[in-house]
Amino acid sequence: MVYSMAHQLAPALRVRPSRPPVRRKPLHSHRKKPAATILLVEHHPLFLKIIKAILEEANFRVLSAKSPRDAKKIDVEFTGSIDLLLSEVMMAPGLLGTKLAKALKKRRPHMRILLMSAYPGGELLILNYGWHFIKQPFMAEALVGRVKDVLHSKIREQGVDHFDTRK
């Protein structure tokens, strides 16, 4: 009886030849040269990873740093052009994105600045610099759109910051 059941199931259990696996091209093989190089500074590791992935998917080269110290090191070591600094406004006490931006602008005066913050009033910290701002949280499309706007906009240069109390 066992033999007859196994014999009846045998056709259903036979291994059928499978098709050869479909080879897919790597995701980035169709990509052109990166649209711009962005120095991303975010102290929260998960947000750093997510924002980096969003920007890379939008065809930007992303140099990521988890602190202003790391960002300054990248700035010195990276020999190419950095088109945009995207940084958190407030990372920790004494670690402000505005201070970082001021330091990096001395070496790279043509670099655009886009600061982000989830804190209420975060944009008030950058008003007198003439830099750009995006409120967190944001959708991926909003971030990419804002980055493109900043890269293509005419930006006024930083004026005299006599109102800056955080020098």
Side-chain angles (χ1 to χ4, degrees):
M1 182 139 158
V2 172
Y3 172 78
S4 65
M5 285 177 61
H7 190 357
Q8 290 173 352
L9 292 175
L13 297 175
R14 278 189 202 135
V15 177
R16 294 184 181 123
S18 63
R19 294 183 191 178
V22 176
R23 289 193 167 195
R24 295 184 183 194
K25 293 180 182 177
L27 288 175
H28 300 288
S29 68
H30 66 282
R31 301 274 170 123
K32 302 178 286 186
K33 178 182 169 192
T37 300
I38 298 171
L39 176 53
L40 170 63
V41 187
E42 170 60 67
H43 70 286
H44 192 283
L46 180 60
F47 294 154
L48 180 68
K49 186 176 180 179
I50 292 169
I51 294 169
K52 180 179 181 179
I54 290 167
L55 294 171
E56 286 177 339
E57 184 63 29
N59 198 34
F60 292 106
R61 173 189 290 152
V62 181
L63 310 171
S64 58
K66 62 183 180 220
S67 70
R69 179 186 217 177
D70 290 347
K72 288 177 182 177
K73 184 178 178 186
I74 290 170
D75 175 54
V76 170
E77 293 175 357
F78 186 73
T79 58
S81 173
I82 298 176
D83 303 297
L84 176 76
L85 169 66
L86 175 59
S87 175
E88 181 71 39
V89 173
M90 297 180 71
M91 291 172 262
L95 299 176
L96 297 173
T98 53
K99 284 185 179 181
L100 174 63
K102 285 169 68 173
L104 296 184
K105 281 290 264 186
K106 288 178 184 172
R107 283 185 28 90
R108 300 179 186 265
H110 293 37
M111 181 175 59
R112 305 295 176 107
I113 308 293
L114 175 58
L115 297 174
M116 55 187 169
S117 180
Y119 294 102
E123 63 271 18
L124 297 176
L125 294 174
I126 66 161
L127 274 180
N128 57 313
Y129 296 103
W131 295 332
H132 298 274
F133 181 81
I134 185 167
K135 179 90 170 134
Q136 292 174 313
F138 42 70
M139 301 296 288
E141 297 83 16
L143 174 63
V144 171
R146 187 72 174 123
V147 165
K148 288 178 180 179
D149 288 348
V150 170
L151 287 169
H152 295 103
S153 72
K154 291 185 179 181
I155 184 171
R156 72 173 175 87
E157 286 298 313
Q158 177 179 343
V160 177
D161 55 342
H162 57 279
F163 294 111
D164 185 9
T165 59
R166 299 182 180 268
K167 288 185 183 178

